[in-house]
């Protein structure tokens, strides 16, 4: 029996992924050249399916990198001249801040305690800031920012670029992309794919900023710089030999999601999320880490476990149910439960019932 | 019927790879965390198997990136302060030179015509050069440098780092690694794996150089900088979520190669290579692109095709045999035939016999 992975990524494969991998092998996808017509068609189909799923407006493009970590680096190198502003509320938003800082940027830090979130409406961002970074869904703590709050922030800062970490929430979060400039995610979270591919969405304003920095000589000119990624994206290609299998699989899974319907996926996510927080609020040993309900992530539920997590995680593991451990300093103290599109209602009910039935 | 891919990478999968992919799915390798004990064990096993296969001396480490293209960038950022020297004889050695140049280095170019190679013994490299780059096997032209020539060059330049592109020749080329400093390859060539993983071998001298550049403030401090890669490699991990599947598969295929024996693989490669060049020399429409025998690649045979390649490639394709087209300006004029460990003697005989029997 395979385990059911409720880990926050890598996680359970999307329920159609295994079949798509077998088809990929059968159809020689793993041997084709990334400059061949066959590859170009696959690349274009994946991008078009994603644009349709996310309802991307004109002027927004999609590029591929090896990871979201790489995208932090490329954003810092290509979209920040001197000054950036970072909303930090956990390890991943902090890592983006560190990336910009390591690359010599004046990366202004606005940090709140893990498990809480920012009241964006109260924040005034200095004029000189060129780019604002925030995690819509902080994977390490399960804190989520409402899209309306982000849009309000943006409406007051239209001269700056807005970069959104949606690594573990897309396509569940419903964005109006015209109200942000760049957003990135990883395929091993909600899309249920093997790890090894980052997806970078950017608009014309990002390209303009990159060109401006290039003209000023403060642009880091590499194979996966934004302008290079975009040049190849226009030809439905990548600047280097990519993870062809994952680009193929992403297109297939997105098409499956289109067939199922994003509304249906979002409804099921809300139902399963209610199960998770209901468990956290009613179980005597569990406490939701994020107290304020409006900030609770739909896709990653995090709970503190009284007496530590070892006994619970071991007992679940023995039943073939793998939940995630707390991140970094919360390891051993918290569990994280991924609530991704591949997790069925029945699987989530099974997990919740099992935890309720355990002595830990 | 699947095609047989003789393309120079991505190419045919190693003949055991499909089975290993199925095992990976069955054993949940695609869902495990890259910080889990299970992953750490896989990572360590892959690295140890590679060290054994390549007979790596103490003081040489192995890191993973997304591609060899990324390694060019990281070498230029982390191992060259100001001056590098590049032996160029085709598109890939030229791309490394361009990478260093784009990143603001004084990248000295020593270029010979494609299809030819450098007489390394005659080259005097300026004192100020910190790193020498060369392609032991130039994938675009099928020109190979004898290891003895490279070792002689190194013996006269012991104060400089020597960086070797062995993207499409490892593990066929037999190196004494103590006579080079850093070497890189991609898994979609001789190792017969899906694309999306670069392997970076480096020694203590590279780490020392990186530390020195960091102290001088000319080091590009990113998640996949050499020092960061090495820090995580010591823990059998990567600095970001990696292509876990490929790292797992690489270990499995290397173990299969160890079982078969590298001597056996090298003997078969030599036999198949003789078939390829015998074809090129005796067929009236074909001419080996690399004239000088000592420079002919064992793993990639390139021939000029009188009257163009369209008819030949189409006829082969109809028989399920896919050879590579000429690279860049040689497209339509040349074919490239990969001679990788996965290509059996029988497959190569079939290809040669088929070409001999065609009217093109």
């Amino acid at each position: 029996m395979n385990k059911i992975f409720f880990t926050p990524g890598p996680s359970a494969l999307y329920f159609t992924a295994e079949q798509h991998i077998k088809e990929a092998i059968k159809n020689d996808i793993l041997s084709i050249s990334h400059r061949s017509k066959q590859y170009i068609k696959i690349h274009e189909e994946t991008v078009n399916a994603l644009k349709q799923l996310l309802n991307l407006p004109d002027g927004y493009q999609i590029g591929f990198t090896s990871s979201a970590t790489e995208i932090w680096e490329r954003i810092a190198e290509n979209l920040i001249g001197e000054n950036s502003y970072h909303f930090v509320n956990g390890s991943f938003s902090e890592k983006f801040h560190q990336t910009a800082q390591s690359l010599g940027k004046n990366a202004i830090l606005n940090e709140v305690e893990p498990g809480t979130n920012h009241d964006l409406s109260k924040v005034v961002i200095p004029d000189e800031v060129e780019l604002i970074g925030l995690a819509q869904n902080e994977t390490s703590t399960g804190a989520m920012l409402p899209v309306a709050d982000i849009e309000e922030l943006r409406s007051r800062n239209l001269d700056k670029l807005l970069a959104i970490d949606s690594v573990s929430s897309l396509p569940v979060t419903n964005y109006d992309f015209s109200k942000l400039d760049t957003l990135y995610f990883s395929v091993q979270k909600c899309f249920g794919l093997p790890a090894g591919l980052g997806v970078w969405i950017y608009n014309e304003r990002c390209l303009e900023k990159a060109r401006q920095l290039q003209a000023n000589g403060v642009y880091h000119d590499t194979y996966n710089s934004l302008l290079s990624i975009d040049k190849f994206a226009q030809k439905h290609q990548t600047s280097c030999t990519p993870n062809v299998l994952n680009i193929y699989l992403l297109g297939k899974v997105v098409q499956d999601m289109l067939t199922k319907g994003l509304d249906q996926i979002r409804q099921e996510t809300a139902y399963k999320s209610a199960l998770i927080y209901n468990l956290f609020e009613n179980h005597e040993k569990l406490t939701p880490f994020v107290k304020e309900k409006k900030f609770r992530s739909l896709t990653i539920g995090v709970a503190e476990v009284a007496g530590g997590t070892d006994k619970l995680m071991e007992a679940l593991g023995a039943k073939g149910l793998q939940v995630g451990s707390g991140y970094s300093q919360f390891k051993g103290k918290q569990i994280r439960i991924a609530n991704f599109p591949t997790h069925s209602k029945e699987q989530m009910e099974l997990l919740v019932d099992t935890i309720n039935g355990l002595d830990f």
Side-chain angles (χ1 to χ4, degrees), chain A residues 126-191:
Chain A
D127 285 346
E128 67 272 21
V129 167
E130 299 150 77
L131 181 138
I132 303 165
L134 60 82
Q136 189 268 333
N137 197 48
E138 172 52 64
T139 311
S140 67
T141 67
M144 199 176 217
L145 280 166
V147 171
D149 292 16
I150 299 173
E151 291 182 351
E152 191 277 332
L153 174 79
R154 154 101 165 175
S155 71
R156 291 186 288 112
N157 292 280
L158 287 173
D159 58 326
K160 310 177 195 323
L161 294 176
L162 177 60
I164 294 183
D165 180 334
S166 194
V167 162
S168 53
S169 57
L170 212 68
V172 170
T173 303
N174 194 355
Y175 294 101
D176 176 349
F177 277 82
S178 72
K179 294 176 177 167
L180 60 89
D181 298 295
T182 181
L183 178 149
Y184 46 93
F185 66 92
S186 298
V187 299
Q188 75 274 16
K189 314 283 185 184
C190 288
F191 289 91

Side-chain angles (χ1 to χ4, degrees), chain A residues 271-291:
Chain A
Y271 170 78
K272 293 180 292 168
S273 178
L275 290 181
I276 293 171
Y277 289 107
N278 190 49
L279 168 75
F280 291 171
E281 293 195 324
N282 292 302
H283 196 291
E284 60 172 0
K285 295 258 175 100
L286 301 175
T287 314
F289 186 44
V290 179
K291 309 298 176 213

